[in-house]
Amino acid sequence: MTDTSADLMKAASFARFGAPDVLDVVERPHPRAGAGEVVVRVDATTVNGGEIAQRRGKLQWIVRTALPAYPGVDLAGEIVETGPGVTTFRPGELVWGTVDERGPDGTAAEYVAVPAGRLARMPQGWTPQDAVSLVAGGATALIGLRDKARLQPGERLLVRGAAGGVGSVAVQVGKAWGAHVTALAHPRSFPFVRSLGADEVIDYRRPLSDLDRFDVILDTRGTELWRLRRKLERSGRMVAIAFDVDHPRRSLATIAASAVFGPRRIRFFLGRPVPDLFDELRRYAEDGSLRSVADRIYPLERIQDAHAHAEAGGVHGKIVVAPGISSRAAADPRGA
């Protein structure tokens, strides 16, 4: 092992709740690998909806955030150190995975110490910036469609929020499993969502009452859940991966009530990814079933801009933050 404990690294942080300008890039001690841990040089992470809500202070009534806080949940990068007891990885390997969002360290940093059990090997031939766009959203889509909804070939799947970080992967997973995929998105996002394989794309502003019925609905918004539930076939299943942070009690009450009134239950979950999920994602990525959904890439020093972009909406897939790049200009993988 290499002793890096005396070194400093850069990490994003916020010491108060608010808009993106509360974020700063600060210096922190370089992490050291403890028992069962590895230190990863973070080549890429993403901005997720949960950490935006956390930064705004919207989740304090559920999980209190200790300040200063360090954002970032997912990562792709290279292992630089292994701790005692780690036998599955060695320095130099490229990995992807997540940290515990309730923990003290985020992945919007140059380095992070991670339990080895939260990582898997990255897809071969993929850059970290492309790969990380699939990590959190892909694991959530797999849990939702496979484990919660038990999506079957030939079933009709509706993905609400199909251009976002989870929805964009859910569309691809649904197609890979032989479902007929209908996507709800903004008209500006129609070409992007169609390129992912959606069979039908509908303006998300269209009244829900106008929609057909579906076997499975994956909702990434958390609003109007009861009305959306009415669009299920009698044996249909609905998975909600978000709740309305502006009206959380009403949103969660709707989910709870669905278990009592009628057969069309709304299943809500917060993903807890494990390496087996990342291994499955890697296989889909390597066989061509999944493509990158990186929208734009920002250096760590522009973490405020990355959060502002994500919060403004209109994102196709994921906003990526790459601590290792030095350019001050945001890179657009789509070439726009």
Side-chain angles (χ1 to χ4, degrees), residues 266-279:
I266 302 172
R267 296 162 174 84
F268 174 77
F269 74 97
L270 297 173
R272 292 288 183 266
V274 295
D276 286 349
L277 278 174
F278 299 136
D279 285 336

Side-chain angles (χ1 to χ4, degrees), residues 2 15 20 25 40 51-52 119 129 133 144 162 185 191 199 201 217 219 239-240 249 256 273 282 293 296-297 315 323:
T2 302
V25 176
V40 179
E51 65 197 70
I52 289 176
L119 299 171
Q129 291 80 15
S133 71
D199 297 288
V201 187
I217 297 175
D219 176 76
V239 177
R249 289 175 175 82
R282 185 184 71 243
V293 290
R296 206 167 184 86
I297 302 171
V315 176

Side-chain angles (χ1 to χ4, degrees), residues 15-294:
R16 57 190 173 89
F17 300 115
D21 61 6
V22 303
L23 288 160
D24 290 309
V25 176
V26 300
E27 288 190 333
R28 299 193 74 193
H30 194 298
R32 185 82 186 272
E37 293 183 331
V38 301
V39 173
V40 179
R41 184 194 69 217
V42 181
D43 292 323
T45 182
T46 71
V47 179
N48 293 285
E51 65 197 70
I52 289 176
Q54 180 191 51
R55 191 207 70 230
R56 294 168 60 197
K58 294 285 188 178
L59 302 181
Q60 285 297 88
W61 70 280
I62 300 177
V63 179
R64 297 196 65 82
T65 299
L67 298 176
Y70 300 91
V73 174
D74 49 20
L75 68 102
E78 180 180 334
I79 292 177
V80 297
E81 180 188 344
T82 59
V86 175
T87 59
T88 52
F89 298 109
R90 62 181 184 275
E93 289 190 296
L94 296 177
V95 294
W96 62 354
T98 61
V99 298
D100 188 343
E101 66 269 24
R102 298 163 297 180
D105 301 313
T107 56
E110 292 179 314
Y111 297 88
V112 67
V114 189
R118 299 186 71 95
L119 299 171
R121 287 170 179 81
M122 211 177 75
Q124 292 186 5
W126 283 55
T127 69
Q129 291 80 15
D130 284 333
V132 79
S133 71
L134 299 178
V135 173
T140 301
L142 281 179
I143 295 172
L145 295 179
R146 184 191 64 189
D147 301 337
K148 302 297 182 180
R150 301 186 184 278
L151 179 68
Q152 299 298 314
E155 289 193 313
R156 291 175 56 83
L157 166 67
L158 175 69
V159 179
R160 187 184 185 205
V166 177
S168 58
V169 186
V171 168
Q172 298 181 75
V173 170
K175 287 303 298 179
W177 290 351
H180 180 281
V181 180
T182 299
L184 293 182
H186 192 283
R188 288 194 301 268
S189 301
F190 281 11
F192 170 69
V193 177
R194 288 194 183 103
S195 75
L196 301 176
D199 297 288
E200 184 178 5
V201 187
I202 298 174
D203 190 335
Y204 80 99
R205 296 167 298 187
R206 183 174 172 180
L208 295 178
S209 58
D210 290 349
L211 299 178
D212 293 332
R213 292 187 178 273
F214 299 91
D215 300 295
V216 173
I217 297 175
L218 179 72
D219 176 76
T220 70
R221 294 291 181 257
T223 60
E224 299 185 282
L225 294 178
W226 199 261
R227 293 175 60 195
L228 192 60
R229 175 178 178 259
R230 294 171 182 166
K231 297 286 104 178
L232 285 172
E233 297 286 2
R234 183 164 182 80
S235 61
R237 294 86 70 200
M238 178 172 165
V239 177
I241 65 160
F243 58 87
D244 187 347
V245 295
D246 293 318
H247 305 92
R249 289 175 175 82
R250 183 174 66 191
S251 183
L252 293 174
T254 298
I255 294 169
S258 75
V260 179
F261 300 103
R264 304 176 184 91
R265 181 173 179 180
I266 302 172
R267 296 162 174 84
F268 174 77
F269 74 97
L270 297 173
R272 292 288 183 266
V274 295
D276 286 349
L277 278 174
F278 299 136
D279 285 336
E280 186 171 354
L281 279 175
R282 185 184 71 243
R283 290 193 292 272
Y284 286 131
E286 291 178 345
D287 72 14
S289 298
L290 294 179
R291 52 166 274 195
S292 167
V293 290

